[in-house]
Amino acid sequence: MDRLSTVEPMARFKVGYHFFQQGTTIAELRRVWREADRMGVDSIWPWDHFFPIYGDPGATSFEGWSLLAAMAVDTEHAQLGMLVTGNPYRNPDLLADMARTVDHLSNGRAVLGIGAGWFQRDFDEYGYDFGTPASRLKDLEASLKRIRSRLDRLSPPPVGPLPILVGGGGEKVTLRLVAQYADMWNTFGPVEAFAAKNKVLDDWCERLGRDPAEIERTVIVFDARDVDAYLDAGAQHLILGAGPPFDLEPLGALIAAAKG
């Protein structure tokens, strides 16, 4: 975990790339993640949706964990994870095994990203119970316990540290779960909201006896204009979100800002 939560000596922060796998092709996705890896990005992430979440609802879409397995053998350097797995979509013990397998395929670069889930079309069309925000968070906590337990029992174990990332910003439950179970945390901006929730996470860590420095703070951004503000607010890992057509020039600018 220390290796993953420590920024490289020559970088101001880590840089990730979160691609939206809708309205595109497998060939184009492979081009994008290979090129991002060659550019020196620290992490690459698909999302866990079965249908487009914006634009044409009938556009093409691809399942994320299958993509992660391909990414594991197509790339060499970047961490790889889902941003984030919808907890209700997979048995938590199976999910732990899937993540361990991707970790082996990637030689120790996998991250197990998970959240409560929110996009109702995914639930309805694939036959999952949508429930309520409260019930989905209750299920997420139960799954996090099972995932931790299963990871300890898998043979062989993960190659790398296989950190658990919890995504979300709910201050009463989600950030408590981050403080209890996660090695990494992800949320959105704007900067002011990120700063406030980051402070809430620190408060939960204090209440639960967790060292807040053990949790890597990641945030999804859509350009490089607010880099310094996010860093001042406590972000350590800025993940650029982008859909097709995939223009990697902004990613290059963010990588340059990290080195600057």
Side-chain angles (χ1 to χ4, degrees):
M1 186 165 62
D2 289 341
R3 177 176 65 84
L4 290 167
S5 61
T6 302
V7 177
E8 292 294 329
M10 296 303 292
R12 299 167 60 212
F13 56 91
K14 289 183 178 180
V15 175
Y17 190 65
H18 176 32
F19 62 84
F20 312 154
Q21 66 265 25
Q22 65 170 64
T24 188
T25 65
I26 288 292
E28 176 66 356
L29 291 173
R30 293 184 74 185
R31 180 194 71 81
V32 166
W33 68 57
R34 286 168 167 171
E35 182 59 26
D37 191 55
R38 284 193 292 267
M39 291 169 68
V41 74
D42 295 292
S43 62
I44 310 173
W45 316 77
W47 65 21
D48 198 21
H49 294 295
F50 309 133
F51 302 95
I53 66 170
Y54 66 89
D56 178 6
T60 58
S61 184
F62 296 98
E63 193 278 323
W65 273 97
S66 304
L67 295 180
L68 280 175
M71 293 164 64
V73 297
D74 251 3
T75 62
E76 297 181 0
H77 308 293
Q79 285 180 273
L80 307 171
M82 192 80 74
L83 207 60
V84 288
T85 305
N87 172 60
Y89 304 157
R90 298 167 189 84
N91 173 284
D93 293 85
L94 172 62
L95 179 62
D97 199 345
M98 292 166 61
R100 181 279 308 255
T101 301
V102 170
D103 193 60
H104 276 258
L105 287 169
S106 67
N107 195 29
R109 294 181 286 124
V111 176
L112 200 169
I114 191 167
W118 64 272
F119 188 48
Q120 189 164 354
R121 184 183 179 190
D122 288 337
F123 287 78
D124 291 347
E125 294 217 29
Y126 276 41
Y128 299 109
D129 179 19
F130 190 59
T132 65
S135 69
R136 294 196 298 275
L137 286 168
K138 182 179 179 181
D139 291 344
L140 175 60
E141 181 163 17
S143 291
L144 286 165
K145 293 176 181 177
R146 288 175 61 179
I147 288 167
R148 284 289 190 193
S149 176
R150 179 58 58 184
L151 287 174
D152 289 339
R153 289 182 285 159
L154 289 171
S155 178
V159 176
L162 190 52
I164 292 175
L165 176 149
V166 171
E171 298 182 6
K172 293 182 179 180
V173 180
T174 303
L175 294 181
R176 173 181 63 80
L177 297 180
V178 174
Q180 284 183 282
Y181 300 104
D183 307 296
M184 303 170 71
W185 166 56
N186 180 261
T187 192
F188 293 89
V191 173
E192 296 79 11
F194 173 81
K197 293 182 185 297
N198 195 44
K199 176 63 168 59
V200 172
L201 177 55
D202 287 343
D203 292 342
W204 271 117
C205 287
E206 182 177 0
R207 291 168 65 179
L208 296 170
R210 179 87 184 272
D211 181 356
E214 294 179 353
I215 302 171
E216 183 175 330
R217 317 302 169 101
T218 81
V219 61
I220 298 173
V221 300
F222 295 96
D223 57 53
R225 289 177 293 181
D226 294 327
V227 164
D228 290 332
Y230 276 112
L231 298 181
D232 290 343
Q236 300 165 295
H237 191 157
L238 274 58
I239 301 173
L240 183 68
F246 298 104
D247 176 9
L248 295 180
E249 186 173 342
L251 180 62
L254 193 58
I255 293 171
K259 294 177 179 179

